[in-house]
Amino acid sequence: MQSISIIIAIYNRKDELFELLNSLSHQTDKDFEVIIVDDGSILNLRPTAELFNESLTIEFFRKDNSGPGLSRNYGARRAKNDWLVFVDSDVIVETDFIQNIKKNISEIPCDAFGGADKAHKGFNLMQKAISYSMTSVFTTGGIRGNKKAVTKFQPRSFNMGVRKSAFEKVGGFSEMRIGEDPDLSMRLWENGFTTAFFDDIGVYHKRRVDFGKFSKQVYQFGCARPILNQRHPKYVKISFAFPSLFLLGYFLGFIEYFFFQKGLILGFYGLYTFIVFFHALYKTRNVSIAAMAIMATYIQMFSYGYGFLKSWILLNVFRQKPEDAFPSHFHKQ
């Protein structure tokens, strides 16, 4: 029998913690432990966790703020079971989440796994639009939740399981505060461990509640990617640069239009917008979500693309060290 420890690193998300623990309390398989690591929250989260003491086996720890990666490591060191399952504090899981994890790891040989990233029917329109943008084949290539994704599947920490022995072998999450989960996936590969996608353990991921926060988040992701490329050159993909090319192409389109009275490049963006809209409409069956998905898609592409381009120039042209170029992306272990 495979034993599971759910590890939740959290900062301030009191309401989200209640919703997550509530979904875990209704599991069809009750044999698992929950380790909550309060990463220096301003809010008192312990009373929320204590509401579920009778329905869940919970260990609650509070520590100074260090970012999600080191907080997950802190929880992993205190886990008693064979498999570590990391979920973000802003997700909700289905009632068969644990049951399906155990079924999959008993049938599919792997050392780490991940699952899909979905939007719950109760999410607001903006959350659903952002969810589409983050999971669509026309934006991310489906890498955040599709076994038919365009690149090798990298488990992400919003829904990620790792064999404890493998996690300890590679040293857990690194000192990166942003991009620490793909960094872990690639270090697992480099050490000969295997990853898998389980299509029946999807989580409902709330994400950011407005476009401003979403833009800041994906900008940080963009900044992190060239750092990851330096660390793991074997796994560099040309597709990682697509949002930056998308951003540059957009500006070239306006130059072409205003200075040469041609609209060939902007015509491509018009076609892309058309495709995104109807694909989002097909996926969501909602015109409002499809319209907002266009906004989310452009915000994602521009913000990520700008972050990637800025980071690439600082690291490869000005030869700055990642820790100097983006000190907020790292912490000292």
Side-chain angles (χ1 to χ4, degrees), residues 14 30 110 179 191 239 294 323:
K14 183 177 179 180
K30 304 287 187 182
C110 65
N191 282 272
S239 57
I294 294 173
E323 297 84 353

Side-chain angles (χ1 to χ4, degrees), residues 140-143 146-154 189 237 239-240:
T140 63
I143 63 172
N146 186 346
K147 63 182 177 181
K148 297 180 180 178
V150 296
T151 59
K152 186 176 179 180
F153 183 72
Q154 296 178 359
W189 294 341
K237 303 288 185 182
S239 57
F240 294 157

Side-chain angles (χ1 to χ4, degrees), residues 42-105:
I42 298 172
L43 301 176
N44 183 8
L45 301 179
R46 187 180 291 273
T48 301
E50 290 176 346
L51 293 173
F52 297 90
N53 279 343
E54 293 185 4
S55 55
L56 294 169
T57 301
I58 295 179
E59 294 286 342
F60 185 96
F61 301 95
R62 178 178 168 83
K63 55 180 281 298
D64 292 338
N65 182 267
S66 64
L70 293 192
S71 293
R72 297 187 193 107
N73 289 349
Y74 185 96
R77 288 193 293 270
R78 288 152 179 81
K80 301 180 179 69
N81 295 324
D82 301 325
W83 283 86
L84 311 173
V85 176
F86 302 98
V87 293
D88 278 359
S89 56
D90 60 343
V91 306
I92 302 169
V93 301
E94 294 277 16
T95 57
D96 57 0
F97 182 67
I98 299 296
Q99 176 183 328
N100 286 338
I101 287 177
K102 290 184 179 180
K103 175 179 67 71
N104 279 293
I105 57 181

Side-chain angles (χ1 to χ4, degrees), residues 47-279:
T48 301
E50 290 176 346
L51 293 173
F52 297 90
N53 279 343
E54 293 185 4
S55 55
L56 294 169
T57 301
I58 295 179
E59 294 286 342
F60 185 96
F61 301 95
R62 178 178 168 83
K63 55 180 281 298
D64 292 338
N65 182 267
S66 64
L70 293 192
S71 293
R72 297 187 193 107
N73 289 349
Y74 185 96
R77 288 193 293 270
R78 288 152 179 81
K80 301 180 179 69
N81 295 324
D82 301 325
W83 283 86
L84 311 173
V85 176
F86 302 98
V87 293
D88 278 359
S89 56
D90 60 343
V91 306
I92 302 169
V93 301
E94 294 277 16
T95 57
D96 57 0
F97 182 67
I98 299 296
Q99 176 183 328
N100 286 338
I101 287 177
K102 290 184 179 180
K103 175 179 67 71
N104 279 293
I105 57 181
S106 66
E107 297 175 355
I108 303 174
C110 65
D111 302 294
F113 62 85
D117 185 359
K118 304 186 292 184
H120 191 271
K121 62 182 180 181
F123 288 0
N124 64 40
L125 298 183
M126 184 175 296
Q127 288 172 323
K128 291 177 179 178
I130 291 174
S131 180
Y132 167 83
S133 178
M134 289 294 287
T135 58
S136 172
V137 67
F138 295 110
T139 53
T140 63
I143 63 172
R144 297 180 67 91
N146 186 346
K147 63 182 177 181
K148 297 180 180 178
V150 296
T151 59
K152 186 176 179 180
F153 183 72
Q154 296 178 359
R156 303 300 176 101
S157 57
F158 63 82
N159 185 9
M160 179 182 197
V162 187
R163 197 185 299 273
K164 189 176 183 181
S165 57
F167 186 82
E168 292 174 341
K169 174 70 179 296
V170 301
F173 289 98
S174 71
E175 78 282 9
M176 295 184 72
R177 294 178 70 106
I178 308 295
E180 76 285 352
D181 39 357
D183 177 66
L184 174 60
S185 292
M186 287 183 279
R187 283 189 290 114
L188 286 167
W189 294 341
E190 289 162 353
N191 282 272
F193 295 113
T194 58
T195 61
F197 177 84
F198 297 163
D199 59 5
D200 55 358
I201 63 162
V203 300
Y204 299 109
H205 200 176
K206 283 192 170 182
R207 305 191 180 284
R208 302 301 177 181
V209 295
D210 63 59
F211 283 143
K213 293 179 180 178
F214 176 57
S215 174
K216 182 178 179 181
Q217 183 185 47
V218 292
Y219 162 77
Q220 291 173 336
F221 291 162
C223 292
R225 179 51 67 178
I227 299 172
L228 292 168
N229 288 348
Q230 278 195 354
R231 289 184 166 216
H232 311 283
K234 182 179 178 181
Y235 300 110
V236 173
K237 303 288 185 182
I238 188 64
S239 57
F240 294 157
F242 176 68
S244 295
L245 297 175
F246 187 92
L247 174 64
L248 293 174
Y250 192 78
F251 284 109
L252 286 175
F254 277 97
I255 292 173
E256 179 195 43
Y257 181 78
F258 285 109
F259 289 94
F260 300 99
Q261 285 76 52
K262 294 182 179 180
L264 296 177
I265 297 177
L266 289 181
F268 163 80
Y269 288 88
L271 176 61
Y272 178 80
T273 302
F274 179 87
I275 292 172
V276 168
F277 176 80
F278 281 98
H279 185 252

